[in-house]
């Protein structure tokens, strides 16, 4: 129990440190890139009047010293006060919560597909026999490597050109509620993660296949299929399963690019690609 408490405390402390570092880098990067007031008011071409500039300056504390602004930002983050969207006139927290279910659904479906693809690839390589089987396994290993390093924005663009613009099988945008509109975004997110998980599952499956429990099962007369499905697969899934938390976080971060690419609700970028409905930041 004490060990679990220590582990939890260490993880929580490391998370706090990461949030502090990110908040600090973002704060000073925004200040170094120019006047943050211009970004708030819509850029240099916004032509905001003196009264609007004065109100925004006071509202966001930009008339305070830089150190004071930094400390105020840390206070707001610590108290989960994300402020208001100047463009939408709504609290940022409400805007994030309104868009979060769409992003979570996309990430969850992509993780499920990545798992299905990775386990299928590992099983195919495990049962491959003969010259043809070894050739198929080699092709799958090459696909794993290519998929794991494939940029999501490039893959999404290719899928749009082939399946939406070329063949016309699926919609190019994901703004509707049709399940078909989810196919391309989910595949775009899932393929790179599937390539990585498949490599982990394949190596774990090969190691489990030579473990004592697998050898004992064969000695008792169990078939190769039974050994694979009842023994080695369960043990081989553990390393990939432990990476699911990391994979889901990676999918959430990658969802921003995919949502913009497919004009899907859930990101500010996708909102700018369709009429404003009052829910986009």
């Amino acid at each position: 129990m004490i060990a679990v408490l220590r582990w939890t405390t260490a993880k929580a402390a490391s998370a706090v440190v990461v949030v502090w570092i990110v908040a600090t880098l973002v704060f000073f990067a925004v200040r170094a890139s120019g006047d943050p007031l211009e970004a708030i008011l819509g850029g240099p071409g916004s032509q905001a009047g003196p009264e609007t500039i004065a109100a925004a300056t006071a509202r966001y504390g930009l008339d305070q010293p830089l150190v004071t602004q930094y400390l105020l930002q840390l206070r707001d983050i610590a108290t989960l006060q994300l402020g208001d969207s100047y463009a939408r006139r709504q609290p940022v927290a409400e805007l994030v919560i309104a868009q979060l279910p769409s992003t979570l659904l996309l990430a969850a479906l992509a993780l499920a597909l990545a798992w299905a693809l990775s386990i299928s690839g590992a099983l195919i390589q495990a049962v491959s026999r003969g010259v043809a089987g070894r050739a198929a396994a080699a092709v799958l290993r090459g696909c794993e490597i290519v998929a794991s390093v494939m940029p999501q924005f490039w893959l999404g663009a290719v899928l749009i050109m082939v399946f939406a613009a070329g063949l016309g099988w699926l919609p190019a945008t994901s703004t509707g509620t049709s399940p078909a509109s989810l196919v391309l975004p989910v595949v775009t997110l899932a393929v790179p993660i599937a390539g990585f998980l498949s490599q982990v599952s394949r190596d774990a499956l090969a190691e489990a296949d030579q473990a004592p429990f697998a050898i004992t099962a064969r000695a008792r007369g169990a078939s190769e299929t039974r050994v694979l499905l009842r023994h080695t697969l369960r043990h081989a899934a553990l390393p990939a399963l432990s990476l699911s938390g990391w994979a889901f976080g990676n999918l959430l971060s990658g969802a921003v690019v995919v949502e913009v690419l497919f004009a899907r609700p859930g990101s500010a970028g996708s909102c700018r690609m369709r009429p404003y409905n009052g829910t986009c930041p």
Side-chain angles (χ1 to χ4, degrees):
M1 186 65 181
I2 297 178
V4 174
L5 182 60
R6 288 177 178 174
W7 181 86
T8 305
T9 304
K11 290 296 182 181
S14 63
V16 171
V17 172
V18 170
V19 171
W20 170 68
I21 292 175
V22 171
T24 301
L25 291 176
V26 170
F27 177 85
F28 288 104
V30 170
R31 267 60 181 182
S33 62
D35 187 1
L37 188 60
E38 288 186 354
I40 293 174
L41 297 177
S46 62
Q47 299 180 348
E51 294 182 359
T52 302
I53 294 176
T57 300
R59 170 67 184 82
Y60 292 96
L62 298 176
D63 53 347
Q64 302 290 332
L66 187 62
V67 175
T68 303
Q69 295 180 37
Y70 172 67
L71 294 176
L72 289 175
Q73 176 172 294
L74 293 182
R75 182 204 62 186
D76 292 341
I77 293 175
T79 56
L80 300 180
Q81 299 296 322
L82 303 181
D84 298 332
S85 170
Y86 189 83
R88 302 297 180 182
R89 308 294 184 181
Q90 290 179 264
V92 172
E94 292 182 5
L95 297 173
V96 171
I97 292 174
Q99 301 299 317
L100 189 59
S102 176
T103 301
L104 291 177
L105 174 63
L106 185 63
L109 292 175
L111 182 60
L113 178 60
W115 256 100
L117 293 174
S118 63
I119 294 299
S120 299
L123 287 175
I124 291 174
Q125 295 180 66
V127 300
S128 297
R129 298 291 185 271
V131 177
R134 288 193 293 271
V139 171
L140 284 175
R141 286 194 293 271
C143 292
E144 291 171 354
I145 297 173
V146 173
S148 62
V149 299
M150 188 176 297
Q152 291 172 335
F153 67 88
W154 180 86
L155 175 60
V158 171
L159 292 177
I160 290 175
M161 288 189 295
V162 174
F163 294 101
L167 300 174
W169 291 353
L170 296 167
T173 60
S174 184
T175 57
T177 58
S178 171
S181 66
L182 282 169
V183 174
L184 293 183
V186 169
V187 172
T188 301
L189 270 178
V191 167
I193 295 296
F196 178 78
L197 292 180
S198 183
Q199 296 178 63
V200 175
S201 300
R202 168 173 51 82
D203 294 341
L205 195 60
E207 182 178 350
D209 189 61
Q210 302 300 321
F213 62 83
I215 297 175
T216 302
R218 292 190 184 94
R220 292 177 177 176
S223 64
E224 289 296 330
T225 302
R226 182 179 178 84
V227 172
L228 177 63
L229 298 179
R230 294 290 301 272
H231 299 282
T232 58
L233 184 59
R234 290 186 300 172
H235 290 78
L238 292 177
L241 184 62
S242 64
L243 292 172
S244 293
W246 164 84
F248 191 73
N250 188 281
L251 290 170
L252 287 177
S253 61
V256 176
V257 176
V258 173
E259 285 168 343
V260 172
L261 183 62
F262 290 94
R264 177 173 174 77
S267 72
S270 63
C271 291
R272 287 190 286 269
M273 298 174 67
R274 64 182 189 277
Y276 169 60
N277 59 10
T279 61
C280 296

